[in-house]
Structures are given as structure tokens and as C-alpha cells.
Amino acid sequence: LSRKRVGTERCHPTLVDTQNIWPTVQRLASAGFAPLGRYVNVGASDGQVDDPLFEYARQAEAVGVAVERDPERCERHRQALPAVRVACSAVTPQNVLTLV
């Protein structure tokens, strides 16, 4: 893990489970890096299916902002994670700061 390694490299699967970040959050917490309990999820879908943040949001009672442009998925997200603010909109450079 390095701040200088950005871009096209994929996470090594033994380092980070990109399908569920909760185990990684637990490992970081046990190493003394307590989670803040906040997040932003862009392209959030329904907040449950294939969402790497779902278990983190539930287990840590984390609050966040979920951005999803499909109205049906927005509604399902609100039902799955009621504590999360859902912005039902497309993200553009012009509106990103108002959404988060």
C-alpha cells in the first residue's frame, strides 16, 4: 500500500476484499486505526447487492452518502440502509460537491 501507487493497478486479493470491505475495516481497527463511521458511495446501486460497503454500513452503523441515478435502486437503497442519505442523481463535475 502506497500513496504513490495510483491509477490502473488492482488491489491484491489477499490484501483487500474489494467485494466486502468490512473484514478490512476490522483488521485496521484491530491495528489501532478506528473507523470514522462515514463514507461516500458513488454508483451505489441498491446498497445491498454487490455493494462492498453494505456490511460496513450495517456492522459499524456507519452513516454516509450514497449516490445513484436510478430511481428504483435509490428507493431500494433507502429501504436497505435507512441511515444513509441517498442522492438520486447522476454525478458530474458541476454537482459533485452539492451531492456529498
Side-chain angles (χ1 to χ4, degrees):
L1 298 174
S2 168
R3 291 180 185 192
K4 295 178 183 178
R5 293 177 63 188
V6 297
T8 60
E9 292 189 46
R10 296 180 54 85
C11 291
H12 191 281
T14 59
L15 294 177
V16 178
D17 178 357
T18 58
Q19 298 302 307
N20 180 4
I21 68 157
W22 180 239
T24 303
V25 171
Q26 289 177 303
R27 285 195 345 240
L28 289 169
S30 69
F33 298 96
L36 297 177
R38 295 183 295 241
Y39 65 91
V40 175
N41 188 357
V42 178
S45 189
D46 67 2
Q48 202 166 4
V49 177
D50 293 329
D51 188 341
L53 295 168
F54 178 71
E55 283 302 318
Y56 170 64
R58 276 187 349 123
Q59 299 291 340
E61 297 180 0
V63 294
V65 176
V67 183
E68 173 56 51
R69 65 180 172 178
D70 182 292
E72 290 177 16
R73 290 179 179 170
C74 290
E75 187 53 39
R76 290 196 309 261
H77 197 296
R78 288 183 184 103
Q79 292 172 7
L81 297 168
V84 175
R85 184 173 71 85
V86 178
C88 198
S89 174
V91 179
T92 67
Q94 293 76 27
N95 74 356
V96 67
L97 293 178
T98 62
L99 295 174
V100 298

